[in-house]
Amino acid sequence: MTFREKIDWLTMAVIALAFGWYAVVYPWGLRGVPALAAQGGLLLVVAIAMTAALTAAAIALAIHRPRDANAPSDERDRDITRRATTRAYYVLIAGAACCFALGYWTGDAAMVLNGLLGSIVVAELVRLASQVAAYRLGE
């Protein structure tokens, strides 16, 4: 397994855990300013936790295999990243369109922002899963 694939697996796991926790803990019954305040506080916790976890794990992986960590990306890596990003972009655009429709019907800014956050998270998971699949399939 390449260093980039390990980082992709790690990032997928951390994102899924962090935003799974966010979805469970978020007070979905709140509306208006209290909901936006709760959202901001929880996102700060998620950002700090994700940064700490990913940094520590990436350092550990780099120490374990320094040659792989310092290897420049080749044409295959760039092609895999480009195709995965294209797939994720379509997911993000569809999710954003649904969120704007949600905003039109509900008028709740916190709900729209949570929907956009969810769209971004799902798009990033699609990108990472596409990259892992491409590395696994040898594309």
Side-chain angles (χ1 to χ4, degrees):
M1 191 180 315
T2 67
F3 180 78
R4 285 180 178 77
E5 185 180 353
K6 289 176 188 174
I7 292 293
D8 288 346
W9 275 110
L10 174 70
T11 306
M12 266 195 314
V14 169
I15 287 173
L17 288 172
F19 285 101
W21 175 83
Y22 174 88
V24 169
V25 173
Y26 184 80
W28 293 102
L30 291 180
R31 298 283 180 256
V33 175
L36 293 173
Q39 187 176 38
L42 287 173
L43 284 177
L44 184 63
V45 171
V46 166
I48 291 170
M50 283 179 55
T51 301
L54 288 173
T55 301
I59 289 171
L61 285 173
I63 288 171
H64 179 63
R65 302 287 288 233
R67 194 181 62 153
D68 291 344
N70 293 325
S73 64
D74 59 4
E75 184 61 34
R76 176 177 172 253
D77 293 328
R78 289 189 294 273
D79 186 49
I80 287 172
T81 300
R82 181 187 48 79
R83 285 185 284 129
T85 302
T86 301
R87 290 182 190 111
Y89 179 76
Y90 289 118
V91 171
L92 180 62
I93 293 302
C98 291
C99 290
F100 293 132
L102 177 68
Y104 178 75
W105 284 310
T106 65
D108 185 14
M111 187 65 70
V112 172
L113 291 175
N114 273 320
L116 288 172
L117 177 65
S119 298
I120 292 167
V121 169
V122 170
E124 185 63 11
L125 290 173
V126 165
R127 184 186 71 81
L128 292 166
S130 294
Q131 286 179 193
V132 167
Y135 281 119
R136 291 274 103 194
L137 297 173
E139 293 180 1

